[in-house]
Amino acid sequence: MDDYTIYYGLTFLAFVVTFGAQLYIKAVYSRYSKIPNQSGITGARTASEILYRNDLSSINVLPTTGYLSDHYNPQNLSVSLSQDNYSSASIAAMAVAAHECGHALQDKESYAFLKVRTSLVPAANFSSFAGYLAIMLGIFIGMSELIWIGILLEGVILLFQLVTLPVEFDASSRALVKLQEYGLAEGEDLAGAKKVLTAAALTYVAGVASSLLQILRLVLLYGRRDNRRR
């Protein structure tokens, strides 16, 4: 198998994994964003209720722009929900809002994986641009050591993504427990919320798989080139 087959084959596979996961979450989210939840409460109300019952009323629930841009910010203690999820009383809005509150609960309890992920953010941000910069520069000047430094930096991003997996799965698990415990969702609503959160989690799994394939592609490609030079 030649270098180009490896390069383009793994690149295409990474694209299929990522694109497929994005299509799936959009399809599931789109379906359940059109189905009203039986409680008739919006995403904003869902978040406020969960936060209140866990003594986290000091956390603000805010609307934000963008598609599926929902997130919890531990710096300013806020749960931001995309406009549709903030004002909609759909199953999807309820699920997403509860998930972001799951992160707030993790922060309150000093969840270990969340703390590790937070500590890795600066390194991941640096590696996200420095990794491929080092690889491209190494190729341009013909310095294999620089290429391998770049690949190592890409490994830091993969580590960050791996640590993110338990954080996201745990937040979704907490969300489903709270929705049921507080009587906010049951039966078909709870089943729908679980499907939405599972689909969202798969995008993180796909991200890990894609990064792993990209690193494997680089290792095989440049490792074989180094062997030929010896």
Side-chain angles (χ1 to χ4, degrees):
M1 187 178 294
D2 58 56
D3 290 346
Y4 288 103
T5 301
I6 295 172
Y7 184 89
Y8 289 111
L10 291 177
T11 299
F12 178 73
L13 184 57
F15 170 78
V16 169
V17 168
T18 303
F19 187 65
Q22 291 296 329
L23 281 181
Y24 182 63
I25 178 57
K26 286 181 179 180
V28 174
Y29 175 78
S30 177
R31 175 187 175 188
Y32 286 99
S33 64
K34 297 173 183 175
I35 303 176
N37 62 65
Q38 294 178 12
S39 298
I41 62 174
T42 64
R45 176 68 184 279
T46 299
S48 296
E49 183 71 13
I50 293 175
L51 294 172
Y52 172 76
R53 289 185 178 234
N54 288 275
D55 298 321
L56 291 172
S57 298
S58 58
I59 295 179
N60 295 313
V61 181
L62 308 169
T64 188
T65 57
Y67 178 74
L68 289 179
S69 54
D70 315 82
H71 63 279
Y72 166 67
N73 189 329
Q75 273 71 49
N76 64 8
L77 294 178
S78 66
V79 167
S80 295
L81 302 176
S82 55
Q83 191 61 56
D84 288 342
N85 289 331
Y86 184 88
S87 58
S88 171
S90 68
I91 292 175
M94 172 185 283
V96 172
H99 174 87
E100 297 310 327
C101 289
H103 287 308
L105 293 174
Q106 290 174 337
D107 191 22
K108 176 184 178 183
E109 298 173 12
S110 297
Y111 180 61
F113 281 107
L114 180 63
K115 293 176 68 175
V116 173
R117 186 180 74 168
T118 301
S119 69
L120 287 173
V121 167
N125 288 339
F126 173 78
S127 299
S128 65
F129 75 87
Y132 267 97
L133 180 63
I135 291 171
M136 297 306 296
L137 184 59
I139 294 172
F140 182 74
I141 65 177
M143 185 176 178
S144 62
E145 291 83 2
L146 195 54
I147 295 174
W148 286 107
I149 290 175
I151 293 174
L152 183 62
L153 290 173
E154 291 300 310
V156 173
I157 299 174
L158 176 60
L159 176 61
F160 177 79
Q161 291 175 317
L162 285 170
V163 173
T164 295
L165 288 181
V167 174
E168 295 301 326
F169 280 113
D170 180 77
S172 291
S173 178
R174 290 171 187 260
L176 294 172
V177 168
K178 296 305 179 185
L179 287 175
Q180 187 173 31
E181 180 182 344
Y182 302 149
L184 300 175
E186 56 184 18
E188 293 183 3
D189 279 7
L190 194 63
K194 184 175 182 179
K195 289 180 180 178
V196 171
L197 296 179
T198 299
L202 287 178
T203 62
Y204 292 98
V205 175
V208 168
S210 178
S211 293
L212 187 59
L213 287 169
Q214 294 284 16
I215 292 173
L216 179 61
R217 170 181 66 100
L218 293 169
V219 169
L220 290 176
L221 186 60
Y222 294 109
R224 292 177 69 166
R225 286 187 181 181
D226 281 352
N227 289 336
R228 288 172 187 167
R229 292 171 182 168
R230 293 172 185 170

